[in-house]
Amino acid sequence: MSQKFTLPPEWAEQSAIQLTWPHKGTDWAEYLDDINATYIEMAKAISSRQKLLVVTPYKQAVENLLQNCLDERQMNNIILHECPTNDTWARDHGFITLTNNNGEARLLDFRFNGWGDKFEAELDNGINRSLYNSGICKGDYIDHNSFVLEGGSIESDGKGTVFTTSCCLMAPHRNQPLSREEINSRLITMLHAERVLWIDHGSLEGDDTDGHIDTLVRTAPNDTLVYVGCDDSADNHYESFKAMEKQLESFRTLDGRPYRLLKLPMPQAMYEDGERLPATYANFIILNGAVILPVYNQPENDSKAEEIMREAFPGYDIICIDSSTVVRQHGSLHCCTMQYPKGVI
C-alpha cells in the first residue's frame, strides 16, 4: 500500500462536503431569503447522498431552517459547527486535503486573505483551526498560513498534475515577492504534485478572485478537461478564451497524450447595477455519484451545459440548481463548497 500523499481529484470518494452558511452579517444581507433558498437546495442534494458539514455563527437558527425543509434521513447526514464567519466561500477558506492509500489524511490550512486583501477574511481564515480543534476533521493538521492559496485556484487530476492560472496566483497581495518559479516549486512541494500546468489566458469579467481556475477549467475522469468556451466574436471574452482553448489543446498528460477537451457554453451576459457578473457553468460541484450544475434561467445554454456534464461524468446524476442569486455576489455553486475525502469527516 502506497504511503505517498497526493491531492485527490474531486470525484474521488468523499466523506462530506462543507457549506459555510450565509447570515445577516455578510454581503448577502439584502437578499438573505433568496440565498438561503439556494443553500437549502444544495443542502438537500448533498445530504441525500453523503454527509454535509454546515459552518455558521448561528447554529440553532440554521438547524431550525434545515429541519423545516429537509427530511429525517437528510437531517441525519448533517453536522453543524458553530463559529464566527465573515462570509460563505468555503472553497477558498476550507482545508485542502491530501490522502494516501492507507486512508490517512493531511489537512492543509493555507492563508485566506479575501482574494488579495479585497475583503475582510480573518474570521473565515480561522474556520479550519476551529473545525480541527472540535475533532470534526480527522487527519494531520499542516499549518501553511504563511502562504496564500485558495481552493478555487487549483484543480487536480489525481495523477500528479495540478492546474492553476497565472492571473490569480501572480495577482497582487497574494504571495509577493515570490516569482512564478518559486510559487511553482512551493505548490509541487506542499501539494505533493509531479508538476503544475499554468493557464495564462481567460478571466471572467466581474470575478473578484482574479481568475480562479474553477470558473474556467475543471478536471474530470479519463484525462478530461471541461472548460468554458466563447464563440461570440462580439463578446469581450472572445480573444482571451480562444487563447485559453489553444493553450489547453497544447497540454499533454504525464504520459504524453493530449487531454480530452469538452467545451461548455458561456452563459449570456448577466448584469447587476451595470456590472457584468461572472456567470459560468464550470463552477459545478462533484458529489459521490452526482454533479450539481449551476444554471441561469437560459434554457438553451443550460441544456447544452447539462449535456456536456453527462458526457464528462457518465453514470452520474446531474442536478441543476438555479445560481442567479449566487452570481450576484460574483461566485457560483462550487465556490460555496469544499469536499473532504473519505475518512476525514
Side-chain angles (χ1 to χ4, degrees):
M1 298 287 282
S2 173
Q3 300 205 10
K4 180 184 177 183
F5 284 89
T6 60
L7 180 61
E10 205 161 319
W11 59 89
E13 187 176 355
Q14 301 172 8
S15 60
I17 280 185
Q18 176 181 332
L19 287 175
T20 303
W21 206 269
H23 58 82
K24 59 187 177 182
T26 67
D27 289 339
W28 300 107
E30 61 180 297
Y31 32 89
L32 192 57
D33 288 344
D34 290 339
I35 193 62
N36 273 335
T38 304
Y39 268 65
I40 287 167
E41 288 303 304
M42 285 193 285
K44 287 178 178 177
I46 296 166
S47 63
S48 294
R49 292 164 175 81
Q50 60 196 73
K51 295 289 185 183
L52 169 63
L53 169 62
V54 174
V55 175
T56 173
Y58 303 102
K59 180 178 177 180
Q60 191 58 61
V62 172
E63 184 173 9
N64 292 342
L65 179 65
L66 291 170
Q67 285 177 335
N68 287 334
C69 301
L70 275 61
D71 61 33
E72 183 178 1
R73 181 175 64 90
Q74 292 165 331
M75 285 302 301
N76 287 338
N77 265 340
I78 290 179
I79 302 164
L80 286 140
H81 177 70
E82 188 167 67
C83 73
T85 66
N86 296 112
D87 212 330
T88 55
W89 306 108
R91 179 60 44 182
D92 297 335
H93 59 244
F95 279 119
I96 294 172
T97 309
L98 307 182
T99 59
N100 66 14
N101 288 338
N102 291 341
E104 299 166 321
R106 288 183 178 172
L107 307 169
L108 309 188
D109 189 11
F110 291 94
R111 179 155 190 82
F112 175 57
N113 71 345
W115 310 289
D117 297 323
K118 296 185 183 75
F119 303 95
E120 179 57 45
E122 279 306 303
L123 297 177
D124 289 343
N125 194 54
I127 292 172
N128 290 342
R129 176 62 80 173
S130 177
L131 286 169
Y132 183 75
N133 288 342
S134 74
I136 289 174
C137 296
K138 310 295 185 185
D140 293 329
Y141 177 92
I142 310 295
D143 189 343
H144 284 311
N145 269 269
S146 62
F147 190 85
V148 175
L149 186 68
E150 301 119 21
S153 70
I154 56 172
E155 279 280 308
S156 173
D157 66 356
K159 299 179 178 181
T161 299
V162 170
F163 298 82
T164 193
T165 63
S166 55
C167 58
C168 176
L169 265 67
M170 300 307 299
H173 306 291
R174 293 304 211 282
N175 291 298
Q176 286 78 14
L178 294 180
S179 68
R180 173 163 162 162
E181 290 72 24
E182 289 170 324
I183 290 174
N184 189 88
S185 178
R186 292 200 185 193
L187 290 177
I188 287 173
T189 299
M190 294 184 292
L191 301 177
H192 293 230
E194 298 292 328
R195 62 174 182 168
V196 179
L197 290 181
W198 293 70
I199 295 168
D200 300 311
H201 310 279
S203 183
L204 294 170
E205 289 185 23
D207 176 16
D208 292 329
T209 71
D210 301 306
H212 271 184
I213 194 167
D214 72 347
T215 67
L216 306 170
V217 181
R218 302 289 305 282
T219 58
N222 304 312
D223 294 325
T224 300
L225 299 178
V226 183
Y227 69 101
V228 177
C230 181
D231 296 322
D232 180 2
S233 60
D235 193 303
N236 291 340
H237 296 96
Y238 181 77
E239 294 294 338
S240 66
F241 277 71
K242 284 297 181 184
M244 182 183 80
E245 184 176 49
K246 189 171 183 180
Q247 187 175 18
L248 295 179
E249 290 170 350
S250 75
F251 284 167
R252 294 294 180 268
T253 63
L254 280 169
D255 56 4
R257 293 176 295 106
Y259 285 91
R260 174 184 180 229
L261 301 180
L262 295 177
K263 183 165 69 174
L264 290 163
M266 180 169 285
Q268 295 169 7
M270 301 172 66
Y271 294 89
E272 175 93 352
D273 297 329
E275 180 183 12
R276 186 162 179 176
L277 300 174
T280 172
Y281 293 109
N283 209 246
F284 53 84
I285 307 166
I286 305 171
L287 311 178
N288 292 330
V291 172
I292 303 177
L293 176 69
V295 292
Y296 301 97
N297 296 310
Q298 300 179 15
E300 184 176 347
N301 284 326
D302 292 350
S303 178
K304 178 62 175 177
E306 184 177 354
E307 178 184 326
I308 295 299
M309 282 297 100
R310 295 191 187 283
E311 190 173 354
F313 293 92
Y316 281 62
D317 295 331
I318 309 299
I319 305 158
C320 295
I321 292 183
D322 180 14
S323 300
S324 303
T325 299
V326 181
V327 78
R328 293 176 69 182
Q329 283 298 325
H330 306 272
S332 200
L333 301 183
H334 188 253
C335 303
C336 302
T337 65
M338 176 53 83
Q339 79 281 350
Y340 292 93
K342 180 182 178 183
V344 174
I345 300 291

